Amino acid sequence: DSTEIEGEITIGSVDNMMESLLEAKNIIIVPGYGLAVAQAQFAVADIAKKLKGMGKNVRFGIHPVAGRMPGQLNVLLAEASVPYDMVFEMEEINDDFEGTDVTLVIGASDTVSRQVP
């Protein structure tokens, strides 16, 4: 069975990521368990708030199996004071990816890669 892959994946440096984020108007951040392990929720929340302060539409898309238990990522983002109106379950935000300029996947490669078992 074959699956057609749509869109474009770009892996780059911190510099080109910053450039992409600064040019973007619509940004979706997809956090995963790696974000929890690295305790990066505070840094990511700070980045999101700064981007939002620049007038960008920044949202978090939470995959249903992200983390080690349901709701773990939601709790971590709440702990980092991410406003609830920025956090969406994947089924709520899936249709918005088409109009998104940048999707930042942080510690969630298993939710976007078919190569991970």
Side-chain angles (χ1 to χ4, degrees):
D1 107 59
S2 70
T3 303
E4 183 177 328
I5 297 175
E6 296 179 29
E8 179 181 331
I9 296 173
T10 304
I11 300 172
S13 67
V14 171
D15 291 336
N16 72 10
M17 177 51 62
M18 283 303 303
E19 185 178 313
S20 295
L21 290 172
L22 292 173
E23 290 175 3
K25 292 182 179 153
N26 292 300
I27 301 163
I28 296 177
I29 300 171
V30 180
Y33 183 64
L35 177 126
V37 171
Q39 297 178 0
Q41 67 268 30
F42 298 100
V44 172
D46 188 44
I47 291 167
K49 288 174 190 170
K50 286 179 181 175
L51 290 168
K52 191 149 181 101
M54 297 169 71
K56 297 173 184 307
N57 181 24
V58 181
R59 295 165 295 160
F60 289 83
I62 309 296
H63 192 280
V65 297
R68 290 289 184 225
M69 63 187 123
Q72 180 180 16
L73 275 293
N74 300 69
V75 170
L76 291 176
L77 294 175
E79 178 184 57
S81 300
V82 172
Y84 291 117
D85 66 350
M86 289 177 67
V87 180
F88 297 86
E89 298 300 322
M90 206 51 79
E91 65 269 2
E92 296 174 304
I93 202 168
N94 263 345
D95 292 340
D96 294 351
F97 278 98
E98 187 174 327
T100 299
D101 301 311
V102 173
T103 302
L104 188 57
V105 179
I106 303 174
S109 62
D110 57 325
T111 65
V112 295
S113 174
R114 295 179 355 140
Q115 301 304 315
V116 177

